[in-house]
Amino acid sequence: MLVPIFRFLSIFPLSFLHAAGAALGWLVYWASPSYRRRMRDNMAQAGYSQYLSAAVAEAGKSMFELPFIWCADPARVSRHATLENWELVQTELDAGRGIVFMTPHLGCFEIVAQEIALRTELMVMYRPPKKAALKPLIEGARARKNLLLAPATMSGVRMLAKFLKKGQPVGVLPDQVPQEGEGVWAKFFGRDAYSMTLPAKLALLGDATVIITYAERLSGGRGYVVRFVPFDGTLDGDNAAQAQAINSAMERLIARNPSQYYWSYNRYKVPHGIAAPVAGEHA
């Protein structure tokens, strides 16, 4: 049922979907105490409580724009996107150097991979959704020309590494909570968060350039600006130091547009089988 529903919604203008999404955002916010509490707590932790109202609306837009991003004609979707600083990427591609694109849950992160794949082959790590009904919808949406999917397994990691070593780009979500044994504790807005080690490992293994990306959602359904930002940290030191450098870079990126971050995500959860961080250990 979801596929035909999404295809039907995809015919509507983006301005309509964003307006409906903003209303949906407030409906979900008031209907779910746990959602409301997590969003408030995470924004307060980061010092962005003043953006709460805008963030509630933007969260709803991020859900209601998915039919358009996933199911509309790719050419139509791309007409709503403007790229900023693409020359940073093109320089690395021309040099035959691998790129690790780090795309946090900021703005419309779903459109980023699509826009990159229109210009070069890209492999991204993919973890199937927990709800089986969503699998055909999401996999069909992401199975675009030049966009290759690597499973979130060791074989998938090997695929990504091999792709990088050939001088081709890969994409990862650096602020996703990893599974047991795939992360370390590092600060994220001053609080310990179980953080991925894979992005740094890939970059070092493939001697690749790290570029941070996000797509800012413009007001009034006017589309998106896909931004490419140089990674201004270093990946020296151990896994914890590397994860901290990436988290700090994500914090600086989010500061550009705090209302469009995915604040309702349970970023500070303790994964099953992982010991909770000791207070003060990573201060």
Side-chain angles (χ1 to χ4, degrees), residues 28-62:
V28 173
Y29 180 79
W30 289 114
S32 173
S34 59
Y35 176 92
R36 184 166 64 248
R37 181 173 58 253
R38 183 178 299 135
M39 178 174 273
R40 284 178 170 175
D41 290 349
N42 286 347
M43 295 191 76
Q45 176 67 39
Y48 290 128
S49 294
Q50 69 270 33
Y51 294 97
L52 177 62
S53 293
V56 170
E58 293 294 334
K61 292 178 186 179
S62 72

Side-chain angles (χ1 to χ4, degrees), residues 4-269:
I5 290 173
F6 267 57
R7 285 179 177 166
F8 171 72
L9 289 173
S10 73
I11 69 176
F12 289 93
L14 186 61
S15 56
F16 169 81
L17 295 175
H18 276 176
L24 174 67
W26 280 104
L27 178 64
V28 173
Y29 180 79
W30 289 114
S32 173
S34 59
Y35 176 92
R36 184 166 64 248
R37 181 173 58 253
R38 183 178 299 135
M39 178 174 273
R40 284 178 170 175
D41 290 349
N42 286 347
M43 295 191 76
Q45 176 67 39
Y48 290 128
S49 294
Q50 69 270 33
Y51 294 97
L52 177 62
S53 293
V56 170
E58 293 294 334
K61 292 178 186 179
S62 72
M63 296 303 297
F64 231 66
E65 70 193 0
L66 290 179
F68 174 79
I69 301 298
W70 285 351
C71 299
D73 181 79
R76 179 182 165 216
V77 175
S78 189
R79 286 197 294 271
H80 288 74
T82 302
L83 272 58
E84 180 184 270
N85 210 18
W86 174 257
E87 61 272 15
L88 173 68
V89 180
Q90 193 62 53
T91 297
E92 301 303 313
L93 293 175
D94 292 343
R97 190 175 298 114
I99 303 171
V100 175
F101 288 108
M102 296 189 190
T103 307
H105 293 84
L106 178 65
C108 182
F109 51 90
E110 288 286 348
I111 201 174
V112 173
Q114 291 187 23
E115 285 301 306
I116 294 173
L118 287 174
R119 294 158 177 84
T120 184
E121 205 169 35
L122 173 70
M123 182 177 291
V124 297
M125 178 159 278
Y126 169 71
R127 181 171 291 158
K130 293 181 180 179
K131 293 184 179 179
L134 292 174
K135 188 175 180 179
L137 176 64
I138 296 175
E139 290 185 353
R142 292 175 176 169
R144 304 288 180 97
K145 180 182 177 181
N146 278 347
L147 187 54
L148 310 175
L149 303 180
T153 61
M154 283 307 301
S155 65
V157 172
R158 287 192 290 269
M159 289 171 60
L160 291 169
K162 184 177 180 180
F163 206 67
L164 268 178
K165 288 181 178 179
K166 289 164 52 180
Q168 295 176 289
V170 304
V172 293
L173 290 168
D175 57 342
Q176 195 169 35
V177 177
Q179 296 179 345
E180 179 182 355
E182 298 175 357
V184 292
W185 291 105
K187 296 292 184 184
F188 186 64
F189 289 114
R191 182 177 172 186
D192 287 308
Y194 198 61
S195 304
M196 294 180 68
T197 58
L198 178 62
K201 288 179 179 178
L202 285 173
L204 294 172
L205 182 64
D207 192 23
T209 299
V210 176
I211 298 178
I212 304 172
T213 68
Y214 74 106
E216 179 183 353
R217 187 179 301 109
L218 301 178
S219 62
R222 292 179 294 124
Y224 310 90
V225 178
V226 183
R227 306 188 191 278
F228 299 91
V229 182
F231 176 63
D232 57 0
T234 63
L235 296 179
D236 301 328
D238 59 11
N239 289 340
Q242 294 165 1
Q244 187 60 67
I246 291 172
N247 283 358
S248 297
M250 295 305 107
E251 292 175 8
R252 292 188 289 272
L253 194 74
I254 292 164
R256 295 175 172 220
N257 203 332
S259 66
Q260 292 191 15
Y261 189 62
Y262 188 29
W263 294 110
S264 61
Y265 182 53
N266 192 5
R267 184 66 185 87
Y268 301 107
K269 69 180 178 181

